[in-house]
């Protein structure tokens, strides 16, 4: 039986890495029988499924877990001390930023209202808020947040930025309550962490301006669903959500019928832009590891100085 050192989830990347001991596992086939020599495991992309993380426990020589997703909260319960976790930062920037802007435009221009009227054969005209001159607050200014700003550049909006820590042009999350009353649109692009879970709670929402739009392309658990429902049902806020809590959203969940809400089913990264970016990331990361070079996108150490030899970063 051939020993496998690199178990990856992208067939095109597999072809480029044919000179290495690499095998494919994309979640659509059984897990390979022999995992004893696997050192680098790329978790299959798709619906978050614990079956994709469970093989980690069967890899005694594992050093690196790589996700193709930017979020990695679903992997954390399966990690053991000493493993390096790298995420898919950059892979989903283009697609997720597109959807964030699309949701914002659709909600601000009342497209759902017009689509519903059209399906009933009704010509329903009317004014909308539009996007030009809006004040947009991006909460979570990482690579996706920056990609959202680039795509908003031509819409004549005023952009403010918040991140975990401050830097030039970006204020710390601790100051977000001061910025919310001035924002017409609040776009959530923050990762799910213990600090951001439930960040958008009753107080956060109450601080938002009347008529403001909340756009969530991060994780559903960043938002307190019950608190958001209260604001939507009161008619005070609008929301456009690609992620929800719970998820998938049950057919009888009150969010579906709440006023002023647009919901897409967690499709932020699902465009043709995903495959080539995922391939480039996986090929680059495996090559780095094989050459003993530092990995990109490390979110949990130790880092690697030589293949299979962990050192602290």
């Amino acid at each position: 039986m051939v020993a496998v050192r690199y178990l990856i989830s992208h067939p095109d990347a597999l072809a480029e890495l044919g000179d290495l001991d690499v095998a494919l596992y994309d979640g659509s086939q059984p897990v390979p029988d022999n995992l004893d020599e696997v050192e680098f495991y790329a978790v299959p992309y798709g619906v978050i499924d614990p079956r994709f993380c469970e093989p980690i426990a069967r890899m005694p020589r594992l050093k690196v877990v790589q996700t193709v997703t930017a979020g990695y909260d679903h992997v954390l319960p399966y990690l053991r001390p000493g493993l390096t976790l790298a995420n898919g930062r950059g892979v989903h920037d283009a697609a997720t930023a597109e959807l964030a802007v699309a949701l914002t435009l659709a909600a601000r221009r009342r497209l759902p209202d017009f689509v519903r009227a059209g399906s009933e054969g009704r010509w329903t005209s009317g004014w909308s808020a539009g996007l030009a001159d809006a004040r947009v607050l991006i909460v979570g200014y990482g690579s996706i947040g920056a990609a959202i700003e680039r795509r908003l550049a031509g819409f004549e909006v005023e952009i403010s930025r918040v991140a975990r820590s401050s830097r030039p042009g970006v204020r710390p999350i601790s100051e977000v309550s001061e910025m919310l009353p001035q924002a017409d649109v609040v776009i959530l692009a923050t990762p799910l962490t213990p600090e951001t879970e439930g960040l958008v709670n009753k107080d956060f929402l109450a601080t938002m301006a009347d008529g403001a739009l909340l756009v969530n392309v991060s994780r559903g658990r960043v938002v307190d669903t019950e608190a958001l429902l209260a604001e939507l049902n009161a008619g005070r806020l609008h929301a456009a959500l690609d992620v929800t809590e719970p998820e998938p959203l049950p057919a009888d969940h009150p969010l579906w019928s709440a006023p002023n809400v647009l919901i897409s089913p967690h499709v932020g990264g699902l465009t043709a832009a995903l495959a080539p970016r995922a391939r480039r990331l996986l090929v680059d990361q495996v090559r780095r590891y094989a050459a003993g070079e530092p990995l990109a996108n490390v979110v949990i150490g130790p880092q690697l100085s030589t293949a299979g030899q962990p050192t602290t970063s």
Side-chain angles (χ1 to χ4, degrees):
M1 185 175 295
V2 177
V4 174
R5 292 185 65 194
Y6 312 95
L7 188 60
I8 63 173
S9 53
H10 197 296
D12 292 339
L14 181 75
E16 290 192 46
L17 296 168
D19 56 313
L20 300 175
D21 299 327
V22 61
L24 177 69
Y25 173 58
D26 63 7
S28 65
Q29 70 277 84
V31 181
D33 291 330
N34 182 14
L35 301 178
D36 291 347
E37 303 300 320
V38 173
E39 298 180 29
F40 185 108
Y41 176 46
V43 180
Y45 177 78
V47 176
I48 294 174
D49 189 327
R51 290 177 299 173
F52 297 163
C53 295
E54 287 169 355
I56 292 172
R58 296 165 48 196
M59 300 176 181
R61 295 177 61 85
L62 185 65
K63 301 295 189 300
V64 177
V65 177
Q66 173 74 56
T67 70
V68 180
T69 55
Y72 50 86
D73 48 283
H74 60 294
V75 180
L76 295 179
Y78 298 90
L79 296 184
R80 57 181 179 266
L83 293 181
T84 291
L85 174 65
N87 74 342
R89 178 184 172 93
V91 171
H92 300 277
D93 293 2
T96 303
E98 282 178 359
L99 185 64
V101 174
L103 290 172
T104 302
L105 281 169
R108 295 281 291 183
R109 292 304 305 261
R110 295 179 52 205
L111 294 188
D113 294 341
F114 301 145
V115 170
R116 281 191 290 268
S119 67
E120 299 170 1
R122 293 185 291 110
W123 182 275
T124 303
S125 185
W127 291 84
S128 66
L131 189 52
D133 301 329
R135 296 163 297 182
V136 179
L137 172 61
I138 300 174
V139 179
Y141 196 74
S143 62
I144 291 176
I148 292 170
E149 177 171 6
R150 290 194 298 272
R151 285 154 179 79
L152 287 172
F155 287 98
E156 301 178 42
V157 297
E158 176 186 326
I159 295 179
S160 301
R161 311 157 198 86
V162 166
R164 181 175 56 183
S165 56
S166 63
R167 53 187 185 272
V170 182
R171 294 175 63 177
I173 191 66
S174 58
E175 298 178 5
V176 70
S177 60
E178 302 172 20
M179 307 172 73
L180 289 172
Q182 285 75 49
D184 302 302
V185 180
V186 177
I187 301 178
L188 305 176
T190 182
L192 178 64
T193 67
E195 293 74 28
T196 62
E197 184 166 4
L199 170 70
V200 183
N201 56 20
K202 180 179 179 181
D203 293 339
F204 184 109
L205 294 166
T207 308
M208 290 176 61
D210 291 349
L213 169 68
L214 179 74
V215 180
N216 191 3
V217 292
S218 59
R219 285 288 189 266
R221 284 157 53 196
V222 171
V223 177
D224 181 330
T225 301
E226 293 303 316
L228 178 59
L229 272 169
E231 293 285 6
L232 293 172
N233 288 326
R236 199 182 72 82
L237 295 179
H238 298 250
L241 312 172
D242 185 49
V243 290
T244 60
E245 175 57 32
E247 191 175 302
L249 200 61
D252 59 351
H253 196 281
L255 257 182
W256 288 119
S257 56
N260 301 326
V261 65
L262 168 60
I263 299 172
S264 58
H266 202 156
V267 293
L270 302 184
T271 76
L274 170 64
R277 288 160 177 79
R279 174 189 57 76
R280 287 196 295 267
L281 173 70
L282 292 178
V283 169
D284 180 64
Q285 291 287 74
V286 170
R287 291 292 184 196
R288 285 171 179 259
Y289 179 85
E293 298 173 356
L295 299 176
N297 301 354
V298 171
V299 291
I300 294 178
Q303 182 55 278
L304 303 173
S305 59
T306 59
Q309 298 298 317
T311 63
T312 55
S313 58

